[in-house]
Amino acid sequence: MRRRDFIAWLPLALSGCGTPGGMLGSGGREPSLQGLSAQLKLPDMDSMLAQQRLMQELMDSPDLPAWHAQREKMALAVGDRTFQRGFDRVFDSMTIALATLGSRVNNMERASGYITASIPDLGPARTQALQREGLRQYAQVKGYPTGIVDRKGEGFELDVGAASSAMARGMAGLTLTLTRQGPGQTKVKLRFDNVYYPELVNEYYNAVWAAVDKQMFLDSALD
């Protein structure tokens, strides 16, 4: 809501507050605007507008140049791995490992070695902490007061942290590409889609590879 629209709306809202005698208090006097604002829990307009602008920027351009550069380095360092196992064994171990992480497989093509899935579950507390940490960094780079990230949406305000987390979770995913390197060797490329904060990406890499290593160990008895 723009400031001028809010100012025009305020008298209408106040006139409908429904105390006997209109807006008169118990003593028959009109309460102050400050008192009415407190009763109605009216938002800080500057803060609310900043929250709206931040959310719009997140929807339009959720990445930062520095983040992109960090993710590129991370992909080269830990995004690709080569396993001394046959293609079918690695493919099966990958799909089981994803299931143990709570990832839902959306597409799986054994012939092409291509798997897409939803993002792993790091647990609500850890996920929320990392997402808010990233949002604070984003807000700071974009010139917003970082405090608006932690406001809980009182009155008409947004809970930017909760809204952005829900949006990010719905769009994020992962892609696994498996390539035969020989009879007993398979290369795996792991990438995360629409996950921008490097620290969160790193947590996802660690979670997936740890689950894969565990599953490969369990499956080694089957070879």
Side-chain angles (χ1 to χ4, degrees):
M1 184 183 294
R2 293 174 297 181
R3 186 186 296 271
R4 63 173 178 271
D5 296 334
F6 176 77
I7 293 172
W9 164 85
L10 183 58
L12 297 176
L14 298 182
S15 66
C17 286
T19 56
M23 289 305 301
L24 296 181
S26 59
R29 294 176 310 213
E30 287 194 23
S32 66
L33 182 59
Q34 182 179 5
L36 292 172
S37 297
Q39 292 175 27
L40 292 172
K41 293 186 179 179
L42 298 180
D44 178 327
M45 290 300 296
D46 291 333
S47 176
M48 188 172 75
L49 292 174
Q51 289 173 322
Q52 292 174 347
R53 288 195 300 270
L54 176 57
M55 283 300 300
Q56 188 61 52
E57 286 210 57
L58 280 167
M59 288 187 286
D60 293 342
S61 181
D63 204 2
L64 296 173
W67 288 0
H68 179 78
Q70 284 181 263
R71 293 196 312 275
E72 289 291 302
K73 293 178 181 178
M74 196 180 303
L76 292 173
V78 298
D80 298 352
R81 290 185 60 181
T82 300
F83 294 90
Q84 304 305 317
R85 295 284 189 280
F87 178 89
D88 287 329
R89 169 56 54 220
V90 175
F91 191 95
D92 291 341
S93 295
M94 288 287 171
T95 56
I96 296 171
L98 290 175
T100 64
L101 292 171
S103 292
R104 182 184 64 257
V105 174
N106 302 318
N107 187 30
M108 182 171 58
E109 299 174 0
R110 187 179 292 269
S112 62
Y114 186 74
I115 301 172
T116 63
S118 62
I119 218 71
D121 183 8
L122 300 177
R126 184 60 178 157
T127 301
Q128 185 181 66
L130 285 167
Q131 287 174 333
R132 284 187 181 269
E133 183 180 289
L135 185 55
R136 291 187 196 99
Q137 190 176 117
Y138 182 94
Q140 185 176 28
V141 170
K142 293 291 186 176
Y144 293 92
T146 56
I148 67 173
V149 171
D150 298 310
R151 298 181 72 97
K152 299 302 183 182
E154 190 170 318
F156 293 90
E157 291 182 351
L158 297 169
D159 185 336
V160 179
S164 64
S165 294
M167 180 177 68
R169 182 77 185 179
M171 297 174 63
L174 65 82
T175 301
L176 281 163
T177 307
L178 286 72
T179 307
R180 293 175 174 86
Q181 299 285 290
Q185 191 177 79
T186 305
K187 183 176 181 179
V188 180
K189 179 181 290 185
L190 172 60
R191 296 293 183 270
F192 297 98
D193 308 312
N194 299 314
V195 184
Y196 301 102
Y197 184 44
E199 290 301 320
L200 183 55
V201 174
N202 188 55
E203 288 274 334
Y204 284 139
Y205 270 126
N206 290 338
V208 172
W209 289 136
V212 168
D213 286 340
K214 180 179 179 180
Q215 192 60 45
M216 293 289 286
F217 174 77
L218 294 173
D219 291 345
S220 61
L222 303 176
D223 293 332

